[in-house]
Structures are given as structure tokens and as C-alpha cells.
Amino acid sequence: MPIMRAAFASRFDDADPLAALTVGEQPEPTHWADDWVTVQVVASSLNHHDLWSLRGVGLGEDRLPMILGCDAVGIDPDGNEVVVYPVIPDPGDPRGTSLLSEHAQGTLAERVAVPRSNLLPLPDKLSATDAACLPTAWLTAWRMLTTMGRVDEGEAVLVQGAGGGVATAAVALALAMGKRVYATSRDEAKRERIAALGATAVPPGARLPERVDVVVETVGAATFDHSLKSAAPMARIVVSGATAGHEPKVNLRRIFAMQLQILGTSMGTRDDLAQLLAFCAERDVRPVVDSVHPFSQVSEAFARLHSGDVFGKVVVDHNR
């Protein structure tokens, strides 16, 4: 059986997810249907989804070993440079879809198999390593701001917990859209880097000089009360994560008195990704990259993400 190098979950370890990571040989990806193709991966990026998978969240033992990774840029069978949209039709999942690395093998390998319709052209103005940051974290941030947050109807945005992939993407995108952006972080060094991007950086819970029209919420219980208090009348609080608690205490009187909307979202559509790619290329927006690691050092890339010190995306160069 043909084999390839890959980074995969070989078991689960909630206390030490890095211990569950294996880098070694795996079989070539299989095609679920006739319309699937194999893509030679050029670059990928890591997400916290990969660490959760190593902990066993959303991934059963019956699916091990599972190649990790959702994001990829590569070469299709016709020699075209393509960006992989990572959401695939999946009748076996209650949602009707799943992410690569949940049921189908992921992108942290020499090759990945996806439906041909999941491939989008890589814009000329974007490098492979930059575009590899976009299909998960940046796509989620794009949908939070546009489709769900309707940011075009407002002027001010609050991003909770900037530093992580989605939150940092939301800061960069909202600034590129011409919005006033406030962003929180517990880390003073990260607040300095947020300010360097053009946002107003504040500690968590700090009183803002104005109420905002859109709140990007990926933290959860630790920041949710501040999100409510910072929201202007009829504001949208868009939630895509809960890294610091998933059961916040919510003041319902504030919600109905201020006519607030609390909206949940995850990922985005293929069209959303096409719009995001075009926006970044046309507006000269580039992802915030924490570090780029050769595939030969993919374990170090995982350790970097797990450290909690990242600012932006951790990228893997598959040509090295």
C-alpha cells in the first residue's frame, strides 16, 4: 500500500495532548466518492481544533489513527495552485458536514483527498503560507464579522482575547474594513502587538470609550459579561468559541432592554472563503503569522501552539 509522511493522532491524552501526536507514515488518502481528487499539500496551518482532537474531543477511538489538520494550500491533479475548503459533505455526521480530520483524513500530510468542488484558485497576490492561514480561523472571523455580525451596519468592534487565530484575524479584518477596533488581552506584550496593528488594546474587562456594534467572542465565560456591558443597543455578539468556559452567567434584562443579539457560528461557506481570499488579495491584507515551521519539525509547531504564547497563526511548510 502506498504510504506518505503525516502528523496524526494515534491515541488521546487530555492532560498532555502533545504526547498523543505521532509523526510517521500513513496510507495514501482514500476518495469517498468519484468526484474526489488528491491534492499535493504545499503549506498548512495549525488550529486549536488539532489540540482538541489529540485530547479526544470530537474524535472517537474508532477513527484512529487520524491525520490532523484542516487548512491547506496545494497542487491539484491538473497542476493548479489551490486553497482547500475544509468542510466536506458527511451524511454520517448529525450536522450533515464535517471538517477534515474529524471523519476524513486531514491536511498535515504530503497529500489530502477532498471533493474537487472544495478547491479554490490561489490568488496571484497571496503566498501559499499566507493562504494556508485562511480556511479555518480567518474564515470563521470573516463570517463572524460579515454574515453574522453585519459589521457594515456599524462602526465599532470589540474583539475578546486577541492573540489567538480567530481573534487576531478579526482584528486585522475589521481594521481593513475601516472600523474602530478594541481588543482585549491579558498579556501586556500581546496588547502591544495588537496596538501595532492599529487597534485600541485594553486589558480584559476594561471600560471602553464607547459601546460597540459588534462583539467577536471566542473566550466565553471569562469575558462574556464584559461583552454584554460593552454592546451598544441592537448590537450583535457573535460567539465561535469558549476557551475560558462555556457556561457564562448571562444578564437577560440587559439583553432584552438593549435589544442585543447573541449569535453562534462556526467556520463559513465555500463562497465565504472565496470572498475572503478576494478581500485579502485586493486589500493587501496578510494574515498575522506567529511562526513558520518545516514539516520535518511539525512536532515543534504543535508545541508552539500548545504553549499559549502564540500571536497569530502557526504555519507548516511542507516543502521543507
Side-chain angles (χ1 to χ4, degrees):
M1 178 180 293
I3 57 175
M4 61 181 181
R5 62 177 182 170
F8 55 95
S10 53
R11 61 186 181 89
F12 303 133
D13 193 322
D14 185 48
D16 183 11
L18 298 183
L21 175 68
T22 299
V23 180
E25 295 182 340
Q26 284 292 287
E28 290 278 338
T30 58
H31 293 183
W32 283 14
D34 292 341
D35 63 332
W36 282 48
V37 295
T38 297
V39 174
Q40 182 78 29
V41 180
V42 173
S44 62
S45 69
L46 304 187
N47 296 282
H48 281 281
H49 182 275
D50 301 311
L51 294 177
W52 286 115
S53 295
L54 291 168
R55 292 186 172 101
V57 178
L59 188 63
E61 289 189 357
D62 59 320
R63 284 174 261 154
L64 296 179
M66 175 60 73
I67 298 173
L68 301 170
C70 305
D71 297 336
V73 170
I75 308 297
D76 75 5
D78 301 318
N80 303 306
E81 292 184 300
V82 293
V83 180
V84 176
Y85 174 59
V87 181
I88 59 173
D90 189 347
D93 191 285
R95 300 166 295 181
T97 61
S98 63
L99 280 177
L100 293 174
S101 77
E102 291 181 343
H103 291 267
Q105 300 292 334
T107 60
L108 287 170
E110 292 183 66
R111 287 168 288 281
V112 63
V114 295
R116 184 178 285 275
S117 59
N118 280 52
L119 304 181
L120 293 92
L122 174 68
D124 291 338
K125 295 181 180 180
L126 290 179
S127 69
T129 51
D130 280 343
C133 299
L134 302 180
T136 299
W138 276 65
L139 177 60
T140 299
W142 175 263
R143 187 172 179 82
M144 292 179 81
L145 290 168
T146 57
T147 305
M148 306 303 288
R150 306 193 308 278
V151 72
D152 58 316
E153 299 175 12
E155 296 299 329
V157 176
L158 169 62
V159 179
Q160 298 282 19
V166 174
T168 305
V171 170
L173 288 169
L175 287 169
M177 295 171 184
K179 307 304 176 181
R180 295 187 298 276
V181 180
Y182 304 92
T184 67
S185 177
R186 294 176 298 174
D187 187 296
E188 184 176 353
K190 288 183 179 180
R191 291 199 297 272
E192 292 177 358
R193 297 189 68 177
I194 293 165
L197 294 177
T200 299
V202 298
R207 186 180 182 90
L208 305 182
E210 62 177 320
R211 296 185 186 276
V212 301
D213 306 295
V214 180
V215 180
V216 172
E217 176 62 81
T218 65
V219 179
T223 58
F224 205 78
D225 186 60
H226 182 242
S227 294
L228 291 172
K229 291 178 178 177
S230 302
M234 302 184 72
R236 283 77 63 197
I237 300 171
V238 190
V239 183
S240 70
T243 56
H246 65 281
E247 295 183 338
K249 188 175 181 179
V250 178
N251 184 339
L252 294 177
R253 287 180 294 186
R254 181 176 293 274
I255 293 173
F256 64 73
M258 299 287 282
Q259 300 186 62
L260 304 179
Q261 297 181 49
I262 299 175
L263 305 164
T265 191
S266 178
M267 295 295 293
T269 66
R270 183 187 185 279
D271 286 345
D272 288 331
L273 181 55
Q275 293 167 16
L276 172 61
L277 288 166
F279 181 87
C280 289
E282 293 167 4
R283 301 286 186 95
D284 199 29
V285 177
R286 295 297 177 268
V288 180
V289 174
D290 175 87
S291 52
V292 179
H293 303 256
F295 191 88
S296 59
Q297 297 176 12
V298 68
S299 296
E300 287 82 349
F302 270 87
R304 176 64 183 169
L305 179 64
H306 187 247
S307 72
D309 293 330
V310 297
F311 187 86
K313 294 291 293 179
V314 176
V315 179
V316 179
D317 182 347
H318 289 237
N319 289 327
R320 297 161 56 198

